[in-house]
Amino acid sequence: MIRGYLLDLDGTVYRGEHLIPGAKETIAELRRRGRKVVFLSNKPLYSREDYAAKLTRLGIPTSKDEVINSSLVLAEHLAREAPGSKVFIIGEIPLLKELWQAGLNITEVPEEVEYVIAAFDRTFDYRKLNIAFQALKRGAHFYATNPDRTCPVEGGEIPDAAAVIAALEATTGRKVEKIFGKPSRYMIQTALEVLGLPPEKCAMVGDRLETDIRMAKENGLTAILVLTGVTRPEDLKDSPFQPDYVLPSLAELPALDAEIGGEE
Amino acid sequence: MIRGYLLDLDGTVYRGEHLIPGAKETIAELRRRGRKVVFLSNKPLYSREDYAAKLTRLGIPTSKDEVINSSLVLAEHLAREAPGSKVFIIGEIPLLKELWQAGLNITEVPEEVEYVIAAFDRTFDYRKLNIAFQALKRGAHFYATNPDRTCPVEGGEIPDAAAVIAALEATTGRKVEKIFGKPSRYMIQTALEVLGLPPEKCAMVGDRLETDIRMAKENGLTAILVLTGVTRPEDLKDSPFQPDYVLPSLAELPALDAEIGGEE
């Protein structure tokens, strides 16, 4: 009896600046039925406010608290594990802001750094690489926001956080210790806390087998694949990550919810 | 009957700005005996002229043609394999200059790039990473100057070319096709051409088991380890790369040459 939905954004709710047809109506209908809905993104490039504003602009009224991105999951984890600790971040301003708001101290002095954070960073350069390298050689923890190789953009894709993680692993000989974006259990845990529901009452809806579907299956959630993103029907047979349901798009979710949804 | 010597530089001939005691006298004596000597470096940060000038300043008169670095090996290989081809380089100015002097065309337009060159680059940034990424996704060849994880500097070490190679491999899902520095056979081939000698008449002298000694053994040269660099005697027992001779330093090479050297 599903009562909460975790919705991936790009490829599921929208593509770039355009809503997937039916997405707006589906989310309105789920909310009307009393379902709880949160939106998930691996991207640490934008703040949760940015995502909420975009969804609202596109016709899906959303508050910051309904958005969970890898920056938030990391910030909450660090704030609990090592409150006020000193971090060095290879990342962009919205990530720095999220960590700063969580009470962490940002430093660029390798000798002081307790946690190195590798993220998607379009301002990545050798100076940052070397600061992180020196801190890791001195024993700092090695965390990352998200494991993605590439990020889709208008007309193609660009290098994502995997570039930063790989550069640090190759030069230090160390392995990243924790990654907080999909498909990590940390992201699911944060989402379930926000929803206030156990995993068996939640469904994850997304377009990627190796992140969305994998994370749902590994954590006891119902897994729903939509075909409006990167996955084609023929990709399913070769994947170790098999969804419980496959929908053409989010437009078909209310009909499925009528079947799998329920109340207390 | 050894007639030519390939000498590693840092850790073998000098450490930073200081000659290894006896190095100057050894090289003068080898030359007096008619031995041919070349100097090898993986570092693409300096030109061969820079190395020749440094050695000359330290008391070992050297010409540019006696210095072989990964930039030269790469430039000569590309000039033969694909003369005038279009290359994009993640590297510093001396490497660009070496490739330009070899008749290659440097471009930053991903659609034009035929060869992506990953190198040690202290000016590495996301812009360069993305140009290389886009070119590799379009099918450009993927070469690298040297495989080193780190480069020793005064008081420590800094990230080397492995950072750039790993970032590109992780994001493109491709593997680097050719690496030209030690321990590659390309570097040995260039050195033997410069010396005009077959491998069995040459000895490689260096301080690193996994590069200098490995390259010598894999290519039929006599391998001589010196203990003035990174290798300690106890490292030898765990290594798959075993030198033919171990010397405390370059100072002891004339005595060994008296034993293993010879004429036509």
Side-chain angles (χ1 to χ4, degrees):
Chain A
M1 293 289 96
I2 299 302
R3 297 186 56 228
Y5 287 94
L6 292 69
L7 302 183
D8 170 54
L9 284 170
D10 211 22
T12 301
V13 173
Y14 52 66
R15 266 196 305 257
E17 284 301 312
H18 304 282
L19 274 189
I20 302 287
K24 176 178 157 181
E25 295 75 13
T26 286
I27 290 158
E29 175 61 18
L30 292 175
R31 285 172 169 166
R32 202 192 57 77
R33 295 182 191 173
R35 304 294 177 234
K36 292 182 179 176
V37 175
V38 291
F39 301 95
L40 303 191
S41 173
N42 264 10
K43 224 188 270 188
L45 296 189
Y46 308 108
S47 69
R48 289 181 292 140
E49 288 88 342
D50 293 336
Y51 283 109
K54 177 176 179 177
L55 286 163
T56 302
R57 190 176 70 237
L58 292 174
I60 301 168
T62 304
S63 78
K64 170 190 167 185
D65 297 333
E66 295 168 299
V67 176
I68 296 160
N69 66 356
S70 58
S71 308
L72 172 71
V73 181
L74 168 65
E76 293 201 343
H77 185 93
L78 268 180
R80 270 181 232 182
E81 179 179 288
S85 59
K86 292 183 174 163
V87 300
F88 174 69
I89 304 149
I90 299 183
E92 300 193 18
I93 299 297
L95 173 60
L96 271 67
K97 206 172 142 193
E98 189 80 65
L99 291 168
W100 176 75
Q101 285 170 342
L104 298 155
N105 287 303
I106 297 168
T107 176
E108 297 195 328
V109 181
E111 293 77 7
E112 291 183 356
V113 175
E114 296 167 272
Y115 290 86
V116 165
I117 311 298
F120 184 8
D121 183 6
R122 294 165 302 176
T123 62
F124 180 43
D125 62 15
Y126 190 85
R127 186 184 140 272
K128 294 188 191 184
L129 173 66
N130 192 31
I131 293 170
F133 171 86
Q134 302 301 341
L136 290 174
K137 294 297 277 185
R138 283 167 176 76
H141 287 288
F142 182 8
Y143 287 3
T145 49
N146 60 301
D148 304 79
R149 285 170 175 260
T150 62
C151 177
V153 292
E154 198 71 32
E157 51 183 354
I158 59 175
D160 203 319
V164 179
I165 297 169
L168 290 172
E169 288 187 341
T171 51
T172 61
R174 292 183 53 180
K175 288 284 166 197
V176 63
E177 295 161 43
K178 293 181 184 175
I179 303 182
F180 293 88
K182 297 181 286 182
S184 88
R185 64 186 167 86
Y186 302 109
M187 187 160 244
I188 281 288
Q189 284 165 358
T190 302
L192 296 178
E193 278 167 30
V194 168
L195 289 167
L197 290 170
E200 61 274 16
K201 291 193 175 166
C202 294
M204 169 81 213
V205 187
D207 70 313
R208 285 183 187 262
L209 293 167
E210 71 281 10
T211 53
D212 302 315
I213 302 308
R214 175 181 177 179
M215 182 173 70
K217 298 303 292 179
E218 288 180 350
N219 290 281
L221 284 78
T222 296
I224 303 171
L225 179 74
V226 288
L227 298 174
T228 45
V230 298
T231 305
R232 294 156 309 172
E234 59 266 34
D235 300 329
L236 271 164
K237 67 176 195 312
D238 297 324
S239 175
F241 310 113
Q242 292 294 322
D244 297 298
Y245 301 95
V246 180
L247 298 178
S249 79
L250 213 54
E252 289 73 26
L253 187 57
L256 178 62
D257 175 72
E259 185 189 322
I260 65 176
E263 299 307 323
E264 286 292 275
Chain B
M1 295 288 98
I2 299 302
R3 298 187 55 226
Y5 287 94
L6 292 69
L7 302 183
D8 169 56
L9 285 170
D10 210 23
T12 301
V13 173
Y14 52 67
R15 266 196 305 257
E17 285 301 312
H18 304 282
L19 274 188
I20 302 286
K24 176 177 157 181
E25 296 74 14
T26 286
I27 290 159
E29 174 61 17
L30 292 176
R31 286 171 168 167
R32 202 192 56 76
R33 294 182 193 174
R35 305 294 177 234
K36 292 181 178 177
V37 176
V38 290
F39 301 95
L40 304 191
S41 173
N42 264 10
K43 225 188 271 188
L45 296 190
Y46 308 108
S47 68
R48 290 180 291 140
E49 288 88 343
D50 293 336
Y51 282 110
K54 178 177 179 176
L55 285 164
T56 302
R57 190 177 71 239
L58 291 174
I60 301 169
T62 304
S63 78
K64 170 190 168 185
D65 298 333
E66 294 168 300
V67 176
I68 295 160
N69 65 357
S70 59
S71 308
L72 173 71
V73 180
L74 167 65
E76 294 201 342
H77 185 91
L78 268 181
R80 271 181 232 181
E81 179 178 288
S85 59
K86 291 181 174 163
V87 301
F88 174 69
I89 305 148
I90 298 183
E92 299 193 19
I93 299 297
L95 173 59
L96 271 67
K97 206 172 144 193
E98 189 79 65
L99 291 168
W100 177 74
Q101 285 170 343
L104 298 155
N105 286 302
I106 297 168
T107 176
E108 296 195 327
V109 181
E111 292 77 8
E112 291 182 356
V113 174
E114 296 168 272
Y115 290 85
V116 166
I117 311 299
F120 184 8
D121 182 6
R122 295 165 301 177
T123 62
F124 179 44
D125 63 16
Y126 189 85
R127 186 185 140 271
K128 294 188 193 185
L129 173 66
N130 192 30
I131 294 170
F133 171 85
Q134 302 300 341
L136 291 173
K137 292 298 275 186
R138 283 167 176 75
H141 287 288
F142 183 7
Y143 287 3
T145 49
N146 59 302
D148 304 79
R149 284 170 175 259
T150 62
C151 177
V153 292
E154 197 71 32
E157 51 184 352
I158 59 175
D160 202 319
V164 179
I165 297 170
L168 289 172
E169 288 188 339
T171 52
T172 62
R174 292 182 54 181
K175 287 284 166 196
V176 64
E177 296 161 44
K178 293 181 185 176
I179 302 181
F180 293 89
K182 296 181 285 183
S184 88
R185 63 185 167 87
Y186 302 109
M187 187 159 242
I188 280 288
Q189 283 165 359
T190 302
L192 295 179
E193 278 167 29
V194 168
L195 289 168
L197 291 170
E200 62 273 16
K201 290 193 175 166
C202 294
M204 169 79 214
V205 188
D207 70 313
R208 285 183 187 262
L209 294 167
E210 71 282 10
T211 53
D212 302 315
I213 301 309
R214 174 181 177 179
M215 184 172 70
K217 297 306 291 180
E218 289 180 349
N219 291 280
L221 284 77
T222 295
I224 303 171
L225 180 75
V226 288
L227 299 173
T228 44
V230 298
T231 306
R232 293 157 307 173
E234 58 267 33
D235 300 328
L236 271 164
K237 69 176 193 312
D238 297 324
S239 175
F241 310 113
Q242 292 294 322
D244 298 298
Y245 301 95
V246 180
L247 299 179
S249 80
L250 213 54
E252 288 75 26
L253 187 56
L256 178 61
D257 174 73
E259 182 187 327
I260 66 176
E263 299 307 324
E264 288 291 277

